[in-house]
Amino acid sequence: MSGFAYVDGELRAEDVPLSALAERFGTPCYVYSRALLTGAYRSYDAAFADMPHLVCYAMKANPSLAILDLFAQLGSGFDIVSGGELARVVAAGGDPRNVVFSGVGKSDAEMEAALVAGILCFNVESASELTHLAAVAARLGVRAPISFRVNPDVDPQTHPYIATGLKESKFGVAVSDAHALYHRAAQLPSIAVRGIDMHIGSQITELAPYREAASRLLALVDALAADGIPLDHVDLGGGLGIRYRNEATVDIADYAAMVRTLFAGRRERLLFEPGRRLVGDAGVLLTRVRVLKPGETRNFAVVDAAMNDLLRPALYDAWHGIDAVQPRTGSAVPWDIVGPICESGDFLALERPLALAEGDLIAVRAAGAYAMSMSSNYNARPRACEVLVDGDAMHLIRRREAVAELYAHELRLPSRAPR
Ligand code: LLP
């Protein structure tokens, strides 16, 4: 058995009943399936087997060391956006030479750390960043490998907070500025121009925006080559969506076929930065019903997970599937699945028809991406533990925080002398 499925009336992670995990590790708890993680990586990677390429997992989606380790062993590179993420890659045993560094606000210290580590490429997002990077590299006596992240100005048709390739977005440099920037970069002795990059948004469910954006990039690549600035790689970013509810998703084979057509006869190596697609479906958030509060207008099921554990519903109105771990027979009523936090926005799901009793276990689906990674300690809540299931083996990959750890870094004011 692989993934999450019902066996004998109970939802399992691979061969382990979720109730056994709740028993052993407590709730709330993130549960990941090794088989699903491996399968998602392999199918993405295999889709491009006939083209020179590197998959750079966008680790912001889920930066767990165990998951980074797993992907590194499968041959993955990594897309990072901070010095902290670089340190995580190294701590997990990943190879910095397969790392690309994105982000609009890299500090000089982060640039230095990445140069010393010897990363594959900086995805430069502004003229100012180029100047800073050139100075840092010159000081270290090295050449910084770069791409410009070009903003192709296409609408990825996704939630406005996660669309990144429109003109009004803060990301990347405009196509119209890119040409001059490449020329400038090519003159800088501490800069090595290597590639070009785009990332147009997240949870994208159509191919057309990719085709449009990639075509714009390739026109630029050809113009640069004609000017004597050949590029080694083209980074198409990430963004492929998953099915949370009933979205149409892009089949990886169709995406690869589109890329194959666009790149027919070309020589550049392809880079990809998938995040959600590699981990989203591979995790659930396991939580227990604490209190049922049926009411005149709404019924609330208060569970022990909250918006601090899973922010997506509150932040993006995101829809996640909710399944009872051991479904009851009996009549279902619509429940709002809410957390114990003091905010009306603290909900995981609204109006879900379920037959519930206090103490029941619930699985929040598709919680492998941007779930634990966006969690916080709001309301002084320790963050959930994380468990990776591999067949019938359960591996605790992050223990639950202890309350005292939440304020361990804080300092009280010096006591004042009495007046
Ligand atoms: N590359 C860059 C430069 C990115 O900024 C991102 C995501 C990715 C790759 C990976 O995108 P993906 O393949 O996962 O779509 N918190 C939001 C998603 C934010 C995405 C940020 N950037 C959510 O929960 O939906």
Side-chain angles (χ1 to χ4, degrees):
M1 175 59 56
S2 71
F4 298 97
Y6 284 94
V7 178
D8 298 334
E10 169 159 10
L11 189 59
R12 292 189 174 196
E14 303 199 10
D15 298 330
V16 180
L18 290 185
S19 60
L21 291 166
E23 199 68 31
R24 176 138 160 212
F25 302 106
T27 53
C29 170
Y30 277 101
V31 182
Y32 308 111
S33 153
R34 178 175 185 156
L36 290 181
L37 291 165
T38 304
Y41 178 84
R42 288 221 169 106
S43 55
Y44 206 108
D45 190 45
F48 303 98
D50 56 337
M51 292 176 262
H53 75 280
L54 179 66
V55 175
C56 295
Y57 167 53
M59 61 180 285
K60 63 171 79 68
N62 191 324
S64 154
L65 293 191
I67 291 176
L68 300 184
D69 183 14
L70 185 66
F71 285 157
Q73 287 182 43
L74 294 170
S76 185
F78 299 96
D79 169 51
I80 64 165
V81 289
S82 70
E85 288 195 341
L86 176 60
R88 276 186 169 270
V89 169
V90 173
D95 187 345
R97 289 171 303 179
N98 289 335
V99 164
V100 295
F101 193 171
S102 305
V104 288
K106 304 171 186 82
S107 72
D108 287 10
E110 288 175 321
M111 291 174 184
E112 178 167 342
L115 283 168
V116 169
I119 67 164
L120 177 62
C121 197
F122 289 85
N123 292 334
V124 174
E125 304 216 18
S126 64
S128 167
E129 182 184 336
L130 178 67
T131 307
H132 277 271
L133 183 59
V136 175
R139 179 160 52 73
L140 295 175
V142 297
R143 294 181 81 200
I146 69 142
S147 284
F148 281 103
R149 174 168 175 182
V150 173
N151 185 337
D153 193 26
V154 298
D155 187 350
Q157 306 284 347
T158 184
H159 190 285
Y161 285 11
I162 53 177
T164 51
L166 281 167
K167 226 188 230 155
E168 56 265 36
S169 123
K170 72 175 176 182
F171 298 102
V173 302
V175 176
S176 50
D177 297 336
H179 206 87
L181 281 168
Y182 270 103
H183 277 266
R184 197 169 130 201
Q187 321 265 293
L188 294 169
S190 62
I191 294 290
V193 174
R194 288 284 155 72
I196 193 163
D197 167 51
M198 71 178 208
H199 173 72
I200 56 175
S202 200
Q203 186 54 20
I204 297 172
T205 55
E206 309 169 30
L207 269 184
Y210 282 108
R211 191 180 295 115
E212 179 72 32
S215 311
R216 288 185 193 180
L217 243 62
L218 289 181
L220 188 56
V221 174
D222 292 339
L224 290 168
D227 284 359
I229 308 179
L231 302 183
D232 301 332
H233 73 245
V234 177
D235 181 338
L236 295 179
L240 283 184
I242 61 171
R243 180 166 297 129
Y244 286 100
R245 188 175 192 176
N246 48 18
E247 301 90 333
T249 54
V250 174
D251 202 89
I252 191 67
D254 295 337
Y255 178 69
M258 178 209 79
V259 172
R260 202 170 286 119
T261 306
L262 281 174
F263 281 77
R266 303 194 68 98
R267 46 165 290 279
E268 298 89 2
R269 183 191 196 196
L270 283 158
L271 264 52
F272 301 97
E273 303 169 358
R276 190 187 322 261
R277 190 66 172 243
L278 299 191
V279 293
D281 285 325
V284 301
L285 172 57
L286 182 60
T287 178
R288 197 181 284 281
V289 177
R290 278 192 188 156
V291 174
L292 289 182
K293 261 183 100 172
E296 229 171 76
T297 51
R298 301 192 81 94
N299 303 308
F300 296 105
V302 186
V303 299
D304 59 10
M307 66 189 288
N308 75 299
D309 299 301
L310 180 63
L311 185 59
R312 304 191 70 257
L315 190 59
Y316 314 115
D317 262 327
W319 194 99
H320 284 258
I322 300 284
D323 285 310
V325 169
Q326 292 164 319
R328 294 173 178 278
T329 50
S331 55
V333 296
W335 292 101
D336 286 357
I337 311 295
V338 303
I341 283 183
C342 301
E343 297 234 15
S344 297
D346 178 25
F347 61 87
L348 302 179
L350 300 176
E351 300 194 304
R352 300 301 172 84
L354 291 161
L356 286 181
E358 293 186 358
D360 282 3
L361 288 169
I362 280 178
V364 183
R365 297 285 203 139
Y370 305 110
M372 184 63 181
S373 65
M374 294 174 72
S375 66
S376 76
N377 294 118
Y378 190 37
N379 278 210
R381 288 170 51 87
R383 273 174 294 177
C385 61
E386 294 177 287
V387 176
L388 192 143
V389 172
D390 181 8
D392 60 5
M394 324 174 207
H395 302 288
L396 181 66
I397 59 170
R398 180 185 168 118
R399 63 169 173 75
R400 188 180 309 286
E401 282 170 336
V403 169
E405 290 173 306
L406 307 191
Y407 47 81
H409 309 291
E410 296 180 36
L411 303 169
R412 294 175 64 190
L413 288 174
S415 50
R416 278 187 296 178
R419 289 172 202 246

